[in-house]
């Protein structure tokens, strides 16, 4: 334990520095995207607070957004028509003052702001307004299949599974009648599903853990000590996992904090189905619970990547090679985010995507959620990598 | 009294044979490997300590194969590498604390042990200095401190005096003299003055083989009557490749008087070293005791 404590103590300083550095970068990026190009936040909140239900707000903002858009298009079309009809031998006609005033109005900042506010609002409130209805339709569809006596047992089981989950979701949604400002929460999920900063941080913390020891021949001194290589490797790799956990926890905490500052703490009790694109999610969770859910699964994934990176570092024995090898794994995860379907979601740990679709696979005739298999696989992989590090450390030769 | 025995030790790197069946024995006291660069000194030290695997033969401590002893053997071992790698960002205290923990020293004794060994190597004032600020000599002394920490029974030093100034070299010898009565000390060097006055047993190596193996006095007696000092003006009378220089003297090894004014010399360890390189036939038979 004393060796563990010593190594953890020495490793935490670079972790803190790296965490602080990457966190600043992440927060700057996140704040920029939070403030990106939509109207005036105060105007938005003021309009939103005027709605008593999400449905009312959705209908109003959708109508208003269409109206503003149509009006603008009409004005442009009218002006084009006028110019074309008053074309004098290739010289375009001059617009009358009234039309110019209308055009300026349509291009003004306040006009654009209004358009933007209502467009964003309608998209945001769609989930809140329609989620219950969409889920009810889906439940009805599954129930119909069950009543019809679908012969395929697997399909039947899937239908039952989804029906149970959705019934619980509906129960939660029915008890929620607040209109939520989900802009920050939507940005949070968008950011988390595509961010690479946590990959960069974990990579930098772990890729050279053992390769630097081997390349510098420090590992030789450690191998012939009484404690030996195994205990040192166990201590060092445990510390690597701890560094990864600390880094990601601080990172996540800061992101969540920025959401809460923007939207207030009431957002935590919002059903997750109110997030943009989550209308048909089967998760019976509040947004606060969803944050914990995403945090836990992403942490497990990152720990698996950290363990893999350290294992590569031990096997390669050279810093450049381990940087390349570990880098390939992280790059693969990032690139997989561009793939469609379950394969891409699993490889890139797209928890948002895996949680937002039906995404079950047939395991012995029963539908099992991909996210559960993914999580179990990541935990198993981490443990196996950890054990392999300990076993290989004894055999690893590092001296010519 | 413990005995560390190396029996027919062979080490090959692909087609190249670094050690060709080395057999020798070490007891409590100062034992030295002497030989030029490439003789196999570091290789044999690494094989004895378990840093690298041997190709053949064995190493036995009191009759037990050390590689089967595992942790028990490693507990008894202190090894100073030829170029000891450090953690540049660590202080001297951190570095010794880490190795103290790795050696299994109890936490409550580590601080006192660190102070003791740093005092022995004259680094007490640098306890909390970062290793990256150390000179080469200071790093070498820190490596020696790490080796003797925990009072191991077997101490192995690979070129311990590299980077040390003359005072520090003498200090190293004093430390060895203090420890020799309770440890098996093995030193490898190509600098004769490191060991000339302190060595109890000497193994002379060349090209992976043992040329001579006995206590220095007996080995020097073997070359009595063979070492000649040659005046400068007679140097041209003998091939230059048979001449070596010690201080201001030019010397050679010969059964008969090589030049008219050559003067017979009392052999020293330095002469023994050059005999091992120039006239291996003198020690034909290898191990003598």
């Amino acid at each position: 334990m004393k060796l563990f404590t010593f190594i953890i103590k020495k490793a935490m300083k670079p972790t803190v520095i790296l965490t602080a550095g990457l966190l600043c970068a992440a927060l700057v990026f996140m704040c920029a995207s939070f403030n990106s190009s939509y109207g005036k936040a105060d105007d938005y909140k003021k309009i939103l607070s005027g709605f008593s239900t999400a449905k009312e707000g959705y209908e109003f903002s959708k109508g208003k957004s269409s109206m503003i858009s149509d009006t603008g298009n009409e004005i442009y079309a009218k002006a084009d028509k006028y110019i074309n009809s008053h074309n004098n031998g290739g010289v375009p006609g001059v617009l009358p003052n009234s039309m110019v005033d209308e055009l300026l109005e349509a291009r003004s900042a306040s006009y654009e702001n209004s358009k933007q506010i209502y467009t964003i609002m309608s998209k945001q409130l769609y989930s809140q307004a329609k989620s219950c209805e969409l889920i009810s339709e889906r439940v009805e569809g599954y129930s119909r299949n069950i009543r019809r006596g679908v012969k395929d047992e697997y399909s039947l089981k899937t239908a039952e599974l989804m029906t149970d989950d959705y019934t619980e979701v509906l129960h939660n949604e029915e008890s929620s009648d607040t209109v939520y400002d989900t802009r920050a929460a939507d940005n949070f999920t968008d950011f988390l599903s595509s961010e690479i900063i946590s990959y960069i941080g974990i990579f930098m913390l772990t890729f050279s853990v053992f390769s630097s020891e081997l390349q510098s021949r420090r590992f030789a001194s450690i191998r012939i000590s009484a404690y030996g290589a195994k205990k040192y490797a166990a201590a060092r790799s445990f510390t690597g996992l701890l560094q990864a956990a600390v880094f990601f926890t601080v990172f996540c905490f800061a992101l969540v904090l920025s959401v809460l500052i923007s939207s207030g703490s009431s957002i935590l009790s919002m059903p997750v189905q109110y997030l943009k694109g989550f209308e048909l999610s089967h998760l019976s969770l509040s947004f606060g619970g969803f944050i914990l859910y995403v945090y836990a699964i992403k942490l497990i994934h990152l720990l698996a990547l950290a363990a893999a990176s350290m294992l590569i570092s031990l096997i390669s024995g050279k810093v450049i090679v381990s940087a390349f090898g570990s880098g390939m794994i992280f790059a693969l995860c990032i690139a997989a985010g561009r793939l469609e379907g379950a394969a891409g979601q699993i490889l890139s740990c797209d928890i948002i995507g895996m949680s937002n679709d039906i995404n079950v696979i047939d395991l012995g005739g029963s539908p099992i959620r991909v996210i559960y298999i993914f999580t179990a696989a990541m935990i198993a992989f981490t443990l196996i990598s950890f054990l392999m590090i300990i076993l290989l450390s004894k055999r690893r030769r590092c001296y010519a | 009294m413990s005995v560390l025995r190396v029996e027919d030790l062979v080490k090959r790197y692909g087609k190249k044979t670094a050690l060709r069946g080395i057999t020798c024995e070490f007891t409590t006291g100062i034992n030295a490997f002497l030989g030029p660069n490439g003789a196999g000194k570091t290789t044999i030290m690494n094989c004895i300590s378990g840093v690298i695997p041997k190709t053949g033969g064995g190493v036995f401590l009191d009759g037990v194969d050390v590689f089967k002893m595992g942790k028990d053997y490693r507990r008894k071992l202190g090894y100073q590498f030829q170029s000891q790698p450090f953690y540049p960002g660590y202080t001297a205290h951190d570095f010794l604390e880490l190795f103290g923990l790795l050696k299994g020293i109890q936490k409550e004794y580590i601080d006192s042990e660190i102070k003791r060994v740093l005092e022995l190597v004259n680094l007490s004032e640098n306890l909390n200095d970062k290793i990256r600020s150390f000179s080469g000599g200071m790093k070498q002394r820190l490596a020696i401190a790490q080796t003797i920490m925990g009072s191991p029974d077997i101490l192995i030093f690979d070129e311990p005096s590299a980077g040390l100034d003359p005072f520090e070299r003498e200090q190293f010898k004093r430390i060895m003299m203090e420890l020799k009565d309770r440890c098996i000390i093995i030193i490898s060097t190509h600098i004769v003055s490191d060991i000339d006055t302190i060595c109890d047993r000497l193994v002379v190596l060349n090209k992976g083989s043992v040329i001579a193996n006995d206590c220095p006095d007996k080995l020097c007696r073997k070359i009595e009557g063979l070492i000649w000092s040659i005046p400068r003006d007679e140097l041209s009378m003998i091939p230059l490749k048979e001449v070596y220089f010690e201080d201001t003297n030019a010397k050679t090894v010969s059964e008969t008087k090589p030049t008219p004014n050559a003067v017979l010399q009392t052999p020293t360890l330095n002469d023994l070293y050059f005999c091992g390189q120039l006239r291996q036939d003198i020690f034909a038979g290898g191990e003598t005791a």
Side-chain angles (χ1 to χ4, degrees), chain B residues 90-269:
Chain B
Y90 279 25
T91 61
H93 184 276
D94 290 338
F95 178 73
L96 292 175
E97 186 182 356
L98 171 63
F99 277 88
L101 290 168
L102 286 169
K103 288 184 176 194
I105 299 174
Q106 302 278 348
K107 175 78 178 161
E108 49 268 32
Y109 301 122
I110 281 185
D111 281 338
S112 57
E113 183 66 6
I114 289 171
K115 286 195 177 103
R116 180 186 77 87
V117 298
L118 284 181
E119 216 172 289
L120 276 175
V121 298
N122 288 333
L123 283 176
S124 303
E125 289 174 7
N126 306 98
L127 180 71
N128 294 313
D129 293 343
K130 292 258 194 276
I131 295 174
R132 66 166 69 94
S133 68
F134 281 20
S135 66
M138 290 167 78
K139 285 180 184 172
Q140 193 71 353
R141 283 186 277 151
L142 184 62
I144 292 167
Q146 179 271 121
T147 308
I148 62 177
M149 214 167 113
S151 304
D153 297 330
I154 302 169
L155 291 167
I156 302 178
F157 297 91
D158 195 353
E159 312 276 358
S161 60
L164 297 183
D165 64 37
F167 179 81
E168 288 160 354
R169 287 183 183 181
E170 292 308 310
Q171 177 64 8
F172 173 76
K173 284 186 189 175
R174 275 192 282 275
I175 295 169
M176 294 300 105
M177 291 301 286
E178 277 180 29
L179 297 172
K180 66 179 275 187
D181 291 331
R182 55 176 192 272
C183 301
I184 297 174
I185 300 174
I186 305 172
I187 301 173
S188 90
T189 185
H190 58 266
I191 301 171
V192 177
S193 57
D194 280 354
I195 47 155
D196 56 1
T197 50
I198 60 171
C199 175
D200 298 314
R201 185 168 197 89
L202 184 65
V203 179
V204 181
L205 293 177
N206 195 14
K207 293 178 184 170
S209 299
V210 173
I211 307 299
N213 179 7
D214 209 330
C215 55
D217 289 339
K218 285 186 184 170
L219 289 175
C220 284
R221 257 180 260 136
K222 245 190 162 315
I223 57 171
E224 255 175 15
L226 300 176
I227 308 298
W228 301 85
S229 168
I230 311 294
R232 282 180 191 276
D233 52 359
E234 291 180 0
L235 275 175
S236 55
M237 292 182 184
I238 50 176
L240 210 54
K241 65 178 180 184
E242 291 173 15
V243 174
Y244 62 94
F245 297 90
E246 186 184 39
D247 297 327
T248 54
N249 289 333
K251 290 183 173 181
T252 191
V253 181
S254 177
E255 283 87 348
T256 55
K257 193 171 181 180
T259 63
N261 293 313
V263 176
L264 196 62
Q265 302 288 303
T266 306
T268 63
L269 271 188

Side-chain angles (χ1 to χ4, degrees), chain A residues 63 71 98 101 107 122 127 131 136 154 175 180 185 199 209 214 249-250 273 309 313 321 326 336 369:
Chain A
T71 307
S98 59
D101 288 341
R107 286 183 183 184
S122 65
S127 302
S131 171
S136 298
Y154 176 72
S175 60
Y180 293 97
Y199 288 137
V209 160
L214 287 161
T249 302
V250 170
Q273 283 73 22
S309 181
S313 144
V321 176
S326 300
R369 294 206 185 275

Side-chain angles (χ1 to χ4, degrees), chain A residues 10 14 18 31 39 56 60 64 95 116 157 190 203 212 219 269 277 310 317 335 360:
Chain A
K10 297 308 289 180
L18 185 72
C31 289
E56 178 197 336
F60 181 83
K64 195 84 176 162
L95 291 170
Q116 210 169 45
K157 283 183 179 175
D190 285 345
F203 168 75
S212 62
F219 205 71
S269 53
M310 288 191 286
V360 293

Side-chain angles (χ1 to χ4, degrees), chain A residues 2-3 6-7 9-10 213 216-218 220-228 231-232 397 399-400, chain B residues 13 46 49-52 71 74-75 79 81 84-87 90 94 97-99 101-103 107:
Chain A
K2 296 172 189 102
L3 182 65
F6 177 87
I7 292 172
K9 208 170 62 179
K10 297 308 289 180
E213 303 277 21
S216 67
R217 296 178 177 175
R218 286 192 293 257
S221 307
I222 291 162
R223 278 193 70 247
I224 60 172
S225 66
Y227 236 105
K231 282 191 179 166
Y232 179 79
R397 299 294 167 184
Y399 216 77
Chain B
Y13 296 103
N46 286 338
S49 60
V51 172
I52 56 173
K71 192 175 172 179
R74 295 197 306 268
R75 268 195 201 285
Y79 186 30
F81 286 79
Q84 175 75 41
F86 295 97
Y87 294 89
Y90 279 25
D94 290 338
E97 186 182 356
L98 171 63
F99 277 88
L101 290 168
L102 286 169
K103 288 184 176 194
K107 175 78 178 161

